[in-house]
Amino acid sequence: MIREILVYPNKKLKKISKEVEEFDESLHSLLEDMKETMYANEGIGLAAIQIGVPKRVLIINLTDEDGNQNPDDLVEIINPEIIEADGKTIYQEGCLSVPSIYEEVERFEKIKVKYQDRFGKVVEEKLDGLMSIAFQHESDHLNGKLFIEKLSYLKRKKFEKEWKKKLKERK
Ligand code: QAP
Ligand code: CO
């Protein structure tokens, strides 16, 4: 089922999501809803809280070199942890919860992560490139953080101004 995406400044987006303890049918149906919702909105990543579910669940499906999004490349990530981080990288990020806004954000370049799959199996791997950035962006959602909160004071001001303008235009 396609669910509604919560948009900034919805207060639910600030919630700290809870660890998943049961790797059951309800988790699997949440993952299916997240996939449908992400594809319907042309996203490459989505955290459960973006559809109002405060659970530590996220999905990422990057596009390939030709810009095609292959569902076989979709990764389901439960209870993510970053256990090592190295270097810095800057990328112009967007977010389905902050539509039409793209700003440069600094992240770790390489990370070592630990998470669980939909059956509870523990996975440990090293990530770099866009996958590392997406993992950090989506993990921040589970702690109630949006990418716009990582902007400098001046850039945040600029964003708030742009956002107000966009709100008026949408009405
Ligand atoms: C998070 O972002 C991310 O403004 C996923 O109008 C960000 O899927 C991963 C989107 C940066 C890696 C790097 C945004 C779609 C999608 C919009 C998204 C929009 C339509 C964003
Ligand atoms: Co986001």
Side-chain angles (χ1 to χ4, degrees):
M1 192 179 79
I2 297 175
R3 312 260 211 117
E4 198 177 317
I5 293 187
L6 305 184
V7 170
Y8 176 82
N10 190 309
K11 287 206 293 288
K12 275 190 192 163
L13 289 169
K14 298 186 75 67
K15 274 195 156 188
I16 309 286
S17 294
K18 292 211 158 54
E19 294 271 319
V20 171
E21 281 167 1
E22 314 255 31
F23 296 81
D24 55 9
E25 191 46 54
S26 85
L27 172 67
H28 298 172
S29 115
L30 168 64
L31 284 163
E32 294 317 309
D33 286 359
M34 287 173 65
K35 284 180 208 185
E36 277 191 47
T37 306
M38 182 180 75
Y39 291 135
N41 290 280
E42 296 177 357
I44 56 168
L46 189 77
I49 193 63
Q50 291 180 275
I51 57 167
V53 180
K55 290 187 180 171
R56 304 189 82 82
V57 175
L58 58 94
I59 55 174
I60 297 174
N61 193 356
L62 302 182
T63 56
D64 64 20
E65 315 84 64
D66 305 318
N68 298 312
Q69 193 173 35
N70 186 346
D72 292 341
D73 297 332
L74 185 136
V75 196
E76 300 171 340
I77 296 167
I78 325 289
N79 299 331
E81 285 174 66
I82 296 171
I83 52 183
E84 279 174 34
D86 191 30
K88 289 280 154 70
T89 183
I90 292 176
Y91 188 80
Q92 194 170 44
E93 300 189 6
C95 179
L96 287 169
S97 293
V98 196
S100 308
I101 298 283
Y102 302 87
E103 293 288 350
E104 285 185 343
V105 177
E106 186 182 287
R107 302 277 183 190
F108 296 117
E109 182 187 10
K110 296 176 182 188
I111 52 177
K112 187 171 170 192
V113 301
K114 191 173 173 177
Y115 61 89
Q116 284 168 287
D117 71 8
R118 62 158 64 207
F119 307 109
K121 192 183 116 188
V122 177
V123 181
E124 239 184 74
E125 58 193 16
K126 289 180 175 172
L127 304 178
D128 59 16
L130 198 53
M131 191 62 197
S132 166
I133 293 167
F135 193 100
Q136 293 171 70
H137 174 113
E138 300 307 336
S139 295
D140 273 357
H141 276 295
L142 308 186
N143 297 321
K145 287 276 169 292
L146 296 174
F147 78 102
I148 47 168
E149 291 168 62
K150 294 183 65 78
L151 301 176
S152 70
Y153 179 77
L154 277 172
K155 280 194 171 174
R156 179 64 189 264
K157 283 268 185 213
K158 179 178 151 254
F159 157 75
E160 293 295 346
K161 203 174 153 192
E162 256 180 77
W163 191 250
K164 283 198 182 110
K165 186 163 166 267
K166 285 197 167 125
L167 276 182
K168 274 188 209 151
E169 286 164 1
R170 268 176 217 143
K171 274 175 196 159

